[in-house]
Amino acid sequence: MKTALNYVFILLLLWSLLLEQNAITSQKLASELGRQLEQFNKYVVVTIQTRHGDTYDCVDFYKQPAFDHPSLHNRKFDLKEMNFAFEDLEGRVTDSSSFRSKLSGIWLNDEGCPIGTVPIRKISKTNLLKANLTASVAPDLNPRVHVALLRSTGEKKYYGGGMYTTVYNPIVRENQYSASRMKLQNGPDSIAVGWMVNPSLYQDKQARIFIYTKTTDSHCYNTFCPGFVITNHDIPLDLALTPISERGKSLYEQNFFIRKHPTTGDWFLMIGRYIRILGFWPKEIFTELADFANYAEWGGEVYNPDPDGVTPPQMGSGQFPVENLIEDGLARLVLAVNENYEYDYNPSDCEAYADDEGYKVIDKGDVGPKFHRLVLFGGDGSHP
């Protein structure tokens, strides 16, 4: 009996020490985040607002968080030289009048940030701490993350990819998220882009543009870890997308493209109807992905940290696809960029994949010039 009591006492002591250590760690993290915010605020040129009520700081291009990455300290960047455009992909397809997107008229000042600065969403120390905790959920490794998507299966080299995807506001609870995104990966490195509803990250339940960056050293959303260089002064990360699709009534979409630059080797992110560069991932921050990607995904992703007794998050339109475009969450014009930097509108060696019965994906293949490769996905997380 005495031995058992001693054992319980030791366990309680270890638990109290662990709690104390966690408290100290949290205090140190909060202190460090406060220092980072104070340092960051020194480089704010002006603060502006969107028509959705979000506040953004316009930060000197050369003082943005990306350049804190140790691999970028010796690289020279010239904003003027980066303001080039890739070939306009929109001219290669015939758009459908049923699908609409809108990235204009974002700002109350109708201009965005001044030239030479970039928009970064204003955030408090408390929200920054929550965002860092949210970033600890590594989608590639977490068993509570579920997907319904098209994924590559063969040994191919990818130098980019893209998709147009319908934008919904799927219902999620606190600490859950739901996203429609494209991902490129090679070994430990991956980059993803799309829209996401994530209350922990954004403190609201709106569909917002996001990026996710994973390297051997770090992983995070948007600019919460250094690496992604913002170049666009009027289309920001975290942007709330409006209007939103209504199942059975109206469809709105957003397009996302990633392409590796053939000269610099950097991975550029492009967005919007008339394909505009939002920024890029410098090749220096990666190991395997510095050369090319060998794996790609297009489709839906959800996260449910506590599946027992909790309503699961919705994906896409919130229902299983029924092969009716006005009702389904979808990705159309799913494309890959090959090693010759050509656009492949019907990527081969790919399969439809869902890892949970609560979500479903249908690969329709190439269905013609308006949609080309069409992937339908969604669900409400409930099991038959």
Side-chain angles (χ1 to χ4, degrees):
M1 182 70 177
K2 185 175 180 180
T3 302
L5 288 174
N6 288 339
Y7 179 70
V8 171
F9 174 76
I10 291 172
L11 284 178
L12 290 173
L13 179 60
L14 290 173
W15 177 247
S16 65
L17 290 173
L18 179 61
L19 290 176
E20 181 180 355
Q21 180 62 39
N22 285 341
I24 293 172
T25 301
S26 296
Q27 290 173 4
K28 286 183 177 179
L29 178 58
S31 177
E32 173 61 18
L33 293 177
R35 185 194 66 78
Q36 291 178 8
L37 275 176
E38 184 178 350
Q39 184 71 17
F40 174 79
N41 288 333
K42 294 179 181 179
Y43 306 122
V44 176
V45 175
V46 66
T47 298
I48 60 176
Q49 285 190 318
T50 69
R51 298 187 187 280
H52 312 305
D54 294 327
T55 302
Y56 283 80
D57 289 325
C58 299
V59 180
D60 185 305
F61 169 81
Y62 298 101
K63 302 298 183 182
Q64 62 179 295
F67 300 131
D68 289 335
H69 196 286
S71 298
L72 303 180
H73 289 171
N74 296 324
R75 180 169 169 180
K76 302 299 180 183
F77 293 90
D78 188 331
L79 181 58
K80 292 181 180 179
E81 292 181 1
M82 294 172 193
N83 287 330
F84 60 88
F86 282 118
E87 181 179 358
D88 185 4
L89 296 181
E90 187 68 17
R92 289 174 165 261
V93 300
T94 303
D95 209 353
S96 167
S97 59
S98 300
F99 293 79
R100 289 159 283 179
S101 62
K102 185 178 181 181
L103 284 177
S104 60
I106 298 169
W107 304 102
L108 285 177
N109 67 1
D110 293 321
E111 297 177 355
C113 284
I115 301 297
T117 68
V118 294
I120 297 178
R121 192 173 178 220
K122 198 172 190 66
I123 191 168
S124 67
K125 183 169 70 173
T126 300
N127 291 344
L128 190 56
L129 181 59
K130 287 182 179 179
N132 274 268
L133 294 175
T134 301
S136 65
V137 180
D140 296 339
L141 306 173
N142 198 299
R144 303 302 185 191
V145 173
H146 297 293
V147 297
L149 42 73
L150 183 74
R151 67 178 185 179
S152 63
T153 58
E155 291 295 324
K156 297 180 66 176
K157 294 181 179 180
Y158 295 91
Y159 291 79
M163 67 177 184
Y164 284 65
T165 183
T166 45
V167 182
Y168 283 91
N169 259 347
I171 297 173
V172 301
R173 272 66 185 176
E174 201 66 34
N175 299 323
Q176 298 176 343
Y177 72 66
S178 181
S180 176
R181 88 304 187 266
M182 173 189 66
K183 181 174 81 170
L184 297 173
Q185 181 175 344
N186 192 342
D189 302 328
S190 66
I191 50 180
V193 60
W195 61 259
M196 170 181 282
V197 177
N198 189 331
S200 296
L201 183 63
Y202 295 119
Q203 290 75 59
D204 63 33
K205 295 184 179 182
Q206 299 185 81
R208 293 179 177 272
I209 294 173
F210 83 96
I211 61 170
Y212 181 78
T213 308
K214 183 176 181 293
T215 69
T216 53
D217 300 318
S218 65
H219 57 89
C220 71
Y221 291 100
N222 303 323
T223 58
F224 289 117
C225 58
F228 184 80
V229 179
I230 302 171
T231 61
N232 198 302
H233 72 97
D234 66 348
I235 300 179
L237 293 172
D238 306 305
L239 175 66
L241 295 172
T242 58
I244 297 296
S245 302
E246 292 186 69
R247 189 171 187 266
K249 296 181 180 179
S250 60
L251 294 178
Y252 293 91
E253 67 176 3
Q254 188 57 59
N255 57 336
F256 302 96
F257 297 93
I258 297 174
R259 182 179 169 183
K260 190 174 178 65
H261 192 272
T263 303
T264 68
D266 302 319
W267 294 91
F268 275 78
L269 170 60
M270 297 171 284
I271 193 171
R273 181 177 176 84
Y274 297 107
I275 311 302
R276 299 178 61 190
I277 296 172
L278 197 152
F280 65 94
W281 291 271
K283 66 177 181 180
E284 290 90 346
I285 71 172
F286 301 112
T287 51
E288 304 300 323
L289 203 56
D291 297 320
F292 57 85
N294 60 7
Y295 178 77
E297 293 179 346
W298 304 263
E301 175 182 293
V302 296
Y303 171 62
N304 187 16
D306 186 15
D308 297 328
V310 176
T311 304
Q314 293 182 349
M315 178 192 290
S317 67
Q319 301 293 328
F320 281 153
V322 295
E323 301 191 51
N324 182 342
L325 299 186
I326 197 70
E327 298 187 37
D328 294 344
L330 61 87
R332 69 181 181 102
L333 290 168
V334 168
L335 65 87
V337 180
N338 64 27
E339 54 194 306
N340 296 318
Y341 292 90
E342 298 168 336
Y343 300 106
D344 180 0
Y345 286 92
N346 189 21
S348 59
D349 299 324
C350 292
E351 67 176 5
Y353 171 75
D355 66 351
D356 186 273
E357 293 181 347
Y359 308 99
K360 185 178 179 180
V361 58
I362 300 174
D363 175 19
K364 299 293 292 182
D366 191 335
V367 296
K370 287 187 178 181
F371 298 95
H372 281 295
R373 191 65 170 267
L374 176 64
V375 180
L376 312 174
F377 57 89
D380 63 5
S382 59
H383 291 197

